[in-house]
C-alpha cells in the first residue's frame, strides 16, 4: 500500500504535529508514503479568486507530479483534497480545458493525464486499509474516551467533487473512532463549518462560530474533538482564548488531528504524536486513556 | 404489518411553535411532498406548506428535512429513509427566513437585497447592425447559463454558514448568483452596478467557502463559484484595497515566489503592520507551544521555475 504523499503547507508550519502523527501512524500500519517531489501550495480556496485557470493549472501540476511517480495521491488536509479533486474533476470532464492546461503545463515540461486518483487519509483508513485490519493493530483501545467527531466542510462538500459519502449523514469518521474503541458522542455541530477561510475578513463571526462548536462539544460531555482536517484543528484549537471574549464563557476542549487519535490507539506515545504542541492542554484526555 | 412512517413537523400558528407527529402508511417510490399532501388531505387540513409544479421547477416546496434544505417534490422518500436509517423524519421550514405558518416562509425581506444588485440589464448596448436583437456567442451564453438556472427556492439560504452568522451583513447565496448573472452578461452596459452592492454591502469577501450553497442547490447552481468570479471581477475592476483581496493575492504571490505558503508573513500581507501587532499575544501563544517558526522562510520548491513560467504564460493570456 503506497501513495504519493501531498502534505499541504500547514504541516510544515502551525500543524507540524499532524505530520509527526501521520508518519508514526503510517509507519505502524505499514502504509508507505512517497512525498511528491516539488509539490506546491494548493491555493487553499484563495488562488482561484485571483485567476480561475491558474488555480486549476497549479493543481494539475501537483497531480501530474504524482502521475510521474505512478502513484495515487494521499492528502491529509480537507481543503487540499477539495482543491486537487476540483482540478481533476474539471480536467477529466472537459477536453478543451485539459488541452489549455496542458499547454500551460508544457512550460514546466509536465503533462496532466488523469491517471492518478486522489484520496484522503480518512478514506484510506476506512476503505483501503479497512476497519478489520485497523482493529487488529490496536494495542490501546480508547474505551473511556468520549469523542465528538468534526468532519470539516471540504471532505464532504460538494459531494459531486468529493464523492466518498453522502454529505448529509456521513459515517466514515465515526466508524474509525468507534473502531479505535472510543465512544462517539451525539454532536450536532459535526458537519458545520469552522470558518477558517474567512478568518481575516470576518474574524468576530468566525471566532464566535468556532467557539460555539467547542462549547457544544463540551456540553455533550465529550473529552475531545477529532477532525481529519488540520485547518479545522487549528481554527478550533489555536484561537480558544481569543474567542472566549466574544462568547463570555470558557470553550476549552482538546482538539485532536485524526492521526493523533489513531496513533494513541496504536500505542504511540503522546510526544511521538505531537500532543504537547496543542494550545489546549491534552493531559486530562491522556490520563483518561492511560 | 405494513411499515408506518412518521413526519415530525415543526408547526407555527402565528404565536407559538411546536412539533406534531403524523403517521402515514409507507408506500414505495414516493416523494417527501407526497407525504405532506397525504397528511393534509387525509389527516390534518390545517397543515400549511407551499407546493405547485411538482417538477422541481417552481421552487415553492423547499423545506428542511433533518436539518437539510431540499425540494420536497424532487426528493425521494425512500432515499431519505435510507440515508438516516429511520422511519421518522423531522420536517421544518427553511432556516434564515421568517415563518408565516408551519412550513410556509416569508420572502418579503429577501427582495431588498435582490433589488440592490439590480437584477436586470442596464444601459442596453446598441443592437449590432441595427438588427433589433442581441447576439451572444456560445461562450458568452455559457458564462451566464449556470446562474440563470436558479429557481429562487431558498435552499441555499437555509444552510448558508455566513448568512446564518451575519444576516444582513452577508447576502443570501442566490443574491450573489443573481449579481454574477448580470455582471457577466455580455449584453449589459454597467456590470459594476451589479457588482458593487455585493462588494460593499453583501460581504463578498466574508464567504467561508463551506460549499453548503452548492451542495443544497436542487438545480446544480453554484453560488460559491459565482462568489469566486465576482471576487476576481472586483479585482479586475481595481477594487483591491480590502482584506480579502490582499489575502488571495498573498497566496498567488507565495506560490509564484517559493511554491509554499508562509504563515509568518501572511497576516502582515493581509492586514498590514498595525493590525498584525494586535496578533502578538496569539503569536506568542503559538511560539510557546512550538507551533510557530518565526525564522522559517520556505525555500523555493523543486521546479519553481516551471511554476513561474506557468504564471507568466497565463497572465499574458489573461491580458489578451
Amino acid at each position: 500500500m503506497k501513495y504519493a504523499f501531498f502534505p499541504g503547507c500547514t504541516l510544515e508550519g502551525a500543524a507540524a504535529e499532524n505530520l509527526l502523527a501521520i508518519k508514526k501512524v503510517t509507519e505502524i500500519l505499514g502504509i508507505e508514503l512517497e512525498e511528491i517531489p516539488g509539490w506546491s501550495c494548493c491555493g487553499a480556496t484563495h488562488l482561484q479568486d485571483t485567476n480561475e485557470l491558474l488555480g486549476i493549472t497549479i493543481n494539475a501540476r501537483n497531480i501530474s507530479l504524482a502521475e510521474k511517480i505512478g502513484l495515487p495521491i494521499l492528502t491529509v488536509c480537507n481543503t487540499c483534497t477539495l482543491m486537487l479533486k476540483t482540478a481533476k474533476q474539471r480536467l477529466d470532464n472537459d477536453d478543451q480545458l485539459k488541452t489549455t492546461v496542458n499547454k500551460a503545463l508544457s512550460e514546466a515540461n509536465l503533462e496532466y493525464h488523469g491517471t492518478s486518483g486522489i484520496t484522503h487519509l480518512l478514506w484510506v483508513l476506512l476503505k483501503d486499509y479497512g476497519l478489520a485490519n485497523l482493529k487488529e493493530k490496536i494495542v490501546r483501545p480508547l474505551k473511556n474516551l468520549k469523542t465528538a467527531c468534526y468532519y470539516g466542510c471540504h471532505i464532504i462538500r460538494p459531494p459531486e467533487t468529493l464523492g466518498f459519502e453522502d454529505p448529509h449523514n456521513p459515517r466514515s469518521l465515526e466508524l474509525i473512532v468507534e473502531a479505535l474503541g472510543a465512544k462517539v458522542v451525539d454532536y450536532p455541530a459535526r458537519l458545520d463549518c469552522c470558518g477558517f477561510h474567512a478568518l481575516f475578513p470576518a474574524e468576530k463571526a468566525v471566532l464566535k462560530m468556532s467557539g460555539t462548536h467547542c462549547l457544544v462539544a463540551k456540553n455533550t460531555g465529550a473529552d475531545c474533538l477529532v477532525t481529519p482536517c488540520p485547518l479545522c484543528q487549528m481554527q478550533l484549537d489555536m484561537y480558544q482564548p481569543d474567542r472566549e471574549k466574544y462568547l463570555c464563557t470558557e470553550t476549552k476542549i482538546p482538539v485532536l488531528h485524526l492521526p493523533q487519535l489513531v496513533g494513541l490507539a496504536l500505542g504511540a506515545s503522546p510526544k511521538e504524536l505531537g500532543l504537547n504542541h496543542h494550545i489546549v492542554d491534552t493531559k486530562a484526555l491522556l490520563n483518561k486513556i492511560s | 404489518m405494513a411499515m408506518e412512517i412518521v413526519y415530525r413537523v415543526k408547526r407555527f400558528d402565528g404565536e407559538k411553535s411546536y412539533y406534531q407527529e403524523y403517521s402515514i402508511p409507507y408506500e414505495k417510490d414516493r416523494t417527501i411532498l407526497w407525504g405532506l399532501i397525504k397528511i393534509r388531505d387525509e389527516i390534518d387540513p390545517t397543515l400549511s406548506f407551499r407546493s405547485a409544479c411538482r417538477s422541481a421547477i417552481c421552487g415553492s416546496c423547499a423545506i428542511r428535512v433533518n436539518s437539510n434544505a431540499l425540494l420536497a417534490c424532487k426528493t425521494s422518500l425512500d432515499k431519505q429513509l435510507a440515508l438516516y436509517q429511520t422511519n421518522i423524519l423531522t420536517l421544518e421550514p427553511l432556516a434564515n427566513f421568517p415563518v408565516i405558518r408551519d412550513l410556509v416562509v416569508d420572502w418579503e425581506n429577501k427582495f431588498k437585497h435582490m433589488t440592490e444588485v439590480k437584477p436586470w440589464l442596464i444601459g442596453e448596448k446598441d443592437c449590432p447592425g441595427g438588427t433589433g436583437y442581441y447576439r451572444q456567442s456560445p461562450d458568452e451564453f455559457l458564462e451566464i447559463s449556470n446562474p440563470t438556472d436558479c429557481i429562487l427556492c431558498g435552499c441555499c439560504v437555509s444552510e448558508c454558514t455566513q448568512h446564518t452568522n451575519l444576516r444582513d451583513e452577508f447576502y443570501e447565496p442566490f443574491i450573489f448568483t443573481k449579481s454574477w448573472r448580470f455582471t457577466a452578461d455580455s449584453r449589459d452596459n454597467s456590470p459594476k452596478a451589479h457588482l458593487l452592492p455585493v462588494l460593499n454591502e453583501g460581504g463578498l469577501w466574508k464567504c467561508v467557502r463551506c460549499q453548503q450553497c452548492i451542495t443544497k442547490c436542487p438545480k446544480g447552481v453554484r453560488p460559491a463559484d459565482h462568489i469566486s468570479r465576482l471576487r476576481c471581477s472586483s479585482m479586475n475592476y481595481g477594487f483591491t484595497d480590502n482584506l480579502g483581496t490582499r489575502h488571495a493575492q498573498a497566496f498567488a504571490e507565495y506560490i509564484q515566489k517559493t511554491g509554499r505558503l508562509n504563515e509568518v508573513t501572511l497576516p502582515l500581507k493581509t492586514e498590514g503592520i498595525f493590525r498584525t501587532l494586535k496578533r502578538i499575544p496569539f503569536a506568542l501563544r503559538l511560539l510557546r507551544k512550538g507551533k510557530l517558526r518565526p525564522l522559517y522562510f520556505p525555500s523555493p520548491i523543486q521546479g519553481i521555475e516551471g511554476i513561474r513560467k506557468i504564471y507568466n504564460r497565463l497572465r499574458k493570456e489573461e491580458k489578451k
Side-chain angles (χ1 to χ4, degrees):
Chain A
M1 195 174 285
K2 187 175 178 180
Y3 300 90
F5 182 40
F6 187 91
C9 299
T10 57
L11 265 63
E12 293 187 334
E17 71 279 355
N18 196 25
L19 185 59
L20 289 177
I22 288 158
K23 286 190 170 168
K24 192 69 198 169
V25 164
T26 51
E27 179 196 316
I28 295 171
L29 297 179
I31 298 172
E32 204 177 334
L33 301 182
E34 180 176 338
E35 186 169 328
I36 298 171
W39 64 269
S40 79
C41 171
C42 69
T45 76
H46 302 294
L47 185 60
Q48 86 275 10
D49 290 348
T50 68
N51 182 323
E52 189 175 344
L53 188 57
L54 182 61
I56 292 170
T57 308
I58 287 300
N59 285 304
R61 176 187 172 275
N62 282 323
I63 300 168
S64 70
L65 292 171
E67 289 175 355
K68 272 179 86 171
I69 55 176
L71 293 169
I73 297 176
L74 182 142
T75 61
V76 286
C77 165
N78 289 9
T79 297
C80 295
T81 309
L82 178 61
M83 294 297 98
L84 289 163
K85 283 186 80 87
T86 298
K88 183 170 174 57
Q89 186 191 28
R90 294 280 303 272
L91 292 163
D92 290 351
N93 291 290
D94 185 341
D95 287 342
Q96 199 181 336
L97 177 68
K98 191 170 151 183
T99 304
T100 306
V101 165
N102 271 333
K103 277 184 189 161
L105 284 181
S106 68
E107 298 280 354
N109 299 317
L110 291 168
E111 186 176 356
Y112 174 88
H113 299 282
T115 50
S116 278
I118 298 157
T119 188
H120 186 289
L121 181 65
L122 169 66
W123 303 338
V124 165
L125 291 175
L126 189 66
K127 197 174 167 191
D128 300 2
Y129 197 82
L131 287 180
N133 292 332
L134 182 63
K135 282 179 183 171
E136 276 180 18
K137 297 276 186 179
I138 290 171
V139 296
R140 184 199 283 146
L142 309 175
K143 56 187 174 184
N144 294 323
L145 198 67
K146 287 188 271 184
T147 306
C149 294
Y150 187 87
Y151 279 79
C153 300
H154 297 163
I155 203 160
I156 48 173
R157 292 186 290 266
E160 71 275 14
T161 307
L162 294 156
F164 187 79
E165 57 195 325
D166 193 306
H168 302 103
N169 192 22
R171 290 286 299 147
S172 58
L173 189 53
E174 283 84 356
L175 288 170
I176 296 286
V177 171
E178 282 168 0
L180 303 177
K183 178 178 166 35
V184 173
V185 299
D186 190 2
Y187 177 43
R190 73 191 185 109
L191 308 180
D192 289 352
C193 175
C194 73
F196 181 88
H197 294 294
L199 177 72
F200 287 104
E203 183 164 345
K204 189 176 172 185
V206 166
L207 292 183
K208 280 171 82 171
M209 177 170 65
S210 52
T212 306
H213 296 340
C214 289
L215 202 56
V216 171
K218 272 171 76 99
N219 291 343
T220 63
D223 300 305
C224 67
L225 276 150
V226 67
T227 175
C229 180
L231 309 186
C232 296
Q233 194 278 342
M234 292 195 294
Q235 187 60 47
L236 296 170
D237 179 57
M238 295 194 317
Y239 294 91
Q240 297 212 7
D242 304 286
R243 68 201 180 207
E244 284 174 0
K245 70 181 176 204
Y246 295 123
L247 292 170
C248 304
T249 183
E250 192 183 275
T251 64
K252 288 185 180 63
I253 181 168
V255 186
L256 269 60
H257 299 283
L258 174 64
Q260 291 178 316
L261 196 72
V262 176
L264 287 172
L266 296 178
S269 74
K271 198 166 181 194
E272 285 175 313
L273 301 167
L275 282 156
N276 49 323
H277 292 296
H278 286 229
I279 298 300
V280 176
D281 201 279
T282 54
K283 282 194 192 98
L285 172 154
L286 296 171
N287 288 339
K288 204 150 185 191
I289 59 168
S290 59
Chain B
M1 199 174 86
M3 184 175 93
E4 290 278 311
I5 49 173
V6 176
Y7 277 16
R8 188 172 163 266
V9 183
K10 187 174 188 183
R11 304 205 59 187
F12 178 64
D13 62 8
E15 291 178 358
K16 62 180 189 301
S17 58
Y18 57 97
Y19 287 89
Q20 185 167 353
E21 291 187 359
Y22 300 98
S23 292
I24 47 178
Y26 168 78
E27 289 185 28
K28 197 170 177 293
D29 294 334
R30 298 298 189 181
T31 64
I32 295 289
L33 181 61
W34 163 83
L36 281 171
I37 292 171
K38 192 171 180 68
I39 291 166
R40 188 181 58 191
D41 288 353
E42 298 177 13
I43 303 174
D44 184 352
T46 72
L47 180 63
S48 295
F49 57 90
R50 283 196 184 108
S51 71
C53 75
R54 303 193 196 192
S55 305
I57 291 170
C58 75
S60 64
C61 66
I63 57 167
R64 291 179 109 195
V65 174
N66 287 8
S67 299
N68 287 301
L70 47 76
L71 282 187
C73 73
K74 192 192 178 197
T75 306
S76 153
L77 178 58
D78 289 326
K79 284 185 182 167
Q80 290 289 298
L81 297 175
L83 173 63
Y84 297 110
Q85 296 174 27
T86 178
N87 68 330
I88 304 170
L89 296 173
T90 298
L91 278 63
E92 295 167 314
L94 292 178
N96 295 327
F97 282 84
V99 180
I100 296 171
R101 186 184 169 110
D102 298 342
L103 303 177
V104 179
V105 296
D106 187 353
W107 275 79
E108 192 60 39
N109 68 353
K110 307 297 175 198
F111 298 139
K112 179 176 171 289
H113 293 161
M114 183 68 109
T115 309
E116 283 169 1
V117 300
K118 300 182 177 61
W120 52 80
L121 291 174
I122 297 174
E124 295 173 353
K125 287 178 179 170
D126 292 338
C127 302
T131 54
Y133 55 85
Y134 298 98
R135 278 189 177 276
Q136 284 190 304
S137 70
D139 284 346
E140 286 169 342
F141 171 72
L142 279 175
E143 195 61 60
I144 60 166
S145 172
N146 182 267
T148 307
D149 286 344
C150 174
I151 58 171
L152 301 179
C153 65
C155 286
C156 60
V157 182
S158 180
E159 317 308 339
C160 171
T161 300
Q162 206 60 306
H163 185 67
T164 305
N165 287 330
L166 296 170
R167 300 284 161 176
D168 277 354
E169 291 174 44
F170 188 77
Y171 282 172
E172 296 81 355
F174 73 83
I175 303 285
F176 290 101
T177 286
K178 194 60 82 178
S179 165
W180 178 243
R181 182 250 171 276
F182 286 98
T183 301
D185 195 315
S186 62
R187 299 164 298 178
D188 194 276
N189 223 2
S190 186
K192 278 195 275 188
H194 312 292
L195 169 68
L196 286 175
V198 299
L199 179 66
N200 296 330
E201 318 294 334
L204 180 62
W205 288 99
K206 293 179 180 174
C207 169
V208 290
R209 326 301 304 186
C210 67
Q211 308 291 317
Q212 283 279 19
C213 53
I214 291 177
T215 303
K216 293 297 180 290
C217 180
K219 303 300 286 185
V221 178
R222 304 179 67 85
D225 288 356
H226 305 148
I227 286 173
S228 275
R229 289 173 182 186
L230 285 162
R231 288 175 171 184
C232 190
S233 197
S234 74
M235 286 187 254
N236 291 340
Y237 280 117
F239 301 109
T240 53
D241 187 19
N242 57 66
L243 291 171
T245 297
R246 288 194 291 274
H247 197 60
Q249 287 179 339
F251 274 86
E253 285 166 21
Y254 287 133
I255 296 170
Q256 186 176 21
K257 195 174 171 192
T258 66
R260 301 274 167 83
L261 169 67
N262 184 332
E263 290 173 342
V264 177
T265 56
L266 183 61
L268 276 169
K269 278 181 177 282
T270 304
E271 299 184 304
I273 183 85
F274 292 111
R275 285 185 70 151
T276 302
L277 287 174
K278 284 198 308 183
R279 299 198 184 273
I280 287 177
F282 171 75
L284 291 174
R285 188 189 311 147
L286 300 196
L287 268 175
R288 274 197 297 274
K289 291 289 187 170
K291 286 178 82 71
L292 193 65
R293 298 153 72 190
L295 300 176
Y296 170 70
F297 290 92
S299 304
I301 57 169
Q302 181 185 328
I304 189 66
E305 288 308 323
I307 286 189
R308 290 173 190 163
K309 285 179 187 170
I310 290 169
Y311 265 66
N312 288 340
R313 184 190 183 106
L314 295 181
R315 293 241 159 98
K316 268 185 207 162
E317 283 175 8
E318 195 183 20
K319 277 181 190 160
K320 277 186 205 168

